[in-house]
Amino acid sequence: MENIILTGFMGTGKSSAGKLLAAELGYGFQDIDTLIVAKEKRSINVIFAEQGESYFRGIETDILASVLQGTKLVVSTGGGAVISEKNRKLMRKSGFVVNLTASPTAVLDRLTGKNDRPLLREGKGLEQIRGMLAEREPYYADADIRIDTTGKNVEDVVREILLILERGV
Ligand code: S3P
């Protein structure tokens, strides 16, 4: 397996599952959002506020493309990375794409009290989450496998992914 790429909405646990999965497989781990913050030396909130979403998306694509030149990596992507067709093609050709899903209520529970997602900052409500999930559904569906994380902890999710990988799906 070249790389394993985790996609999914905010709060589906991509970063925590990615870290553990990488450790279990002996792969490297890369988190695209973390790399963006390190490169820009400012938070995602500040990047969105100062330069807007399209600037952020440009950097996201650049960093994704450069990371995906590597192999034996588990890569966690930001929730909106799948919107770009270019990104989706890049991901499908450079690795096995695992989409993590969660119910709107689970997403809301996991994000409550956090203020680091500029797209869900004001009125972080169920309706907004449902709307964004519905809009993005076709892009999240563009994956090799999909795992529902609702009601599961990180260990459960990683075990599920490992079982599927071992079976060679
Ligand atoms: C975004 C998700 C965030 C981050 C940015 C935009 C999105 O990543 O990339 O706030 O559009 O869904 P997480 O999914 O890691 O929260």
Side-chain angles (χ1 to χ4, degrees):
M1 186 75 56
E2 287 178 47
N3 296 304
I4 297 172
I5 301 146
L6 300 183
T7 67
F9 199 70
M10 295 169 262
T12 52
K14 303 176 295 283
S15 301
S16 350
K19 240 174 253 167
L20 182 58
L21 183 62
E24 293 285 333
L25 291 169
Y27 276 27
F29 173 70
Q30 296 287 0
D31 183 287
I32 302 299
D33 279 348
T34 304
L35 294 173
I36 295 172
V37 169
K39 176 165 190 258
E40 287 286 307
K41 298 186 179 65
R42 49 193 175 156
S43 72
I44 292 179
N45 276 340
V46 171
I47 301 172
F48 268 68
E50 290 181 352
Q51 265 158 308
E53 180 172 353
S54 63
Y55 175 83
F56 174 85
R57 296 295 174 207
I59 303 189
E60 184 173 51
T61 296
D62 291 348
I63 292 189
L64 188 67
S66 115
V67 164
L68 288 179
Q69 291 187 340
T71 53
K72 294 210 161 200
L73 295 174
V74 175
V75 179
S76 290
T77 61
V82 292
I83 296 169
S84 142
E85 190 186 3
K86 181 177 174 190
N87 291 355
R88 294 200 305 278
K89 284 192 172 150
L90 201 62
M91 293 190 244
R92 294 303 294 266
K93 92 167 173 22
S94 28
F96 187 76
V97 178
V98 178
N99 173 241
L100 301 184
T101 67
S103 71
T105 320
V107 168
L108 184 64
D109 280 354
R110 292 176 192 169
L111 296 183
T112 295
K114 297 197 171 159
N115 210 18
D116 55 353
R117 267 73 169 200
L119 295 179
L120 276 181
R121 268 181 116 182
E122 290 125 38
K124 203 193 288 170
L126 257 192
E127 280 322 303
Q128 196 191 351
I129 292 171
R130 282 203 184 99
M132 288 177 80
L133 278 172
E135 214 173 279
R136 293 176 174 187
E137 170 56 23
Y139 312 134
Y140 290 135
D142 189 356
D144 292 294
I145 58 164
R146 305 186 78 183
I147 308 268
D148 186 2
T149 67
T150 310
K152 296 172 191 164
N153 61 29
V154 182
E155 287 76 19
D156 295 335
V157 171
V158 168
R159 199 174 311 120
E160 230 174 279
I161 299 172
L162 286 171
L163 276 174
I164 293 172
L165 293 175
E166 277 161 22
R167 284 206 309 259
V169 172

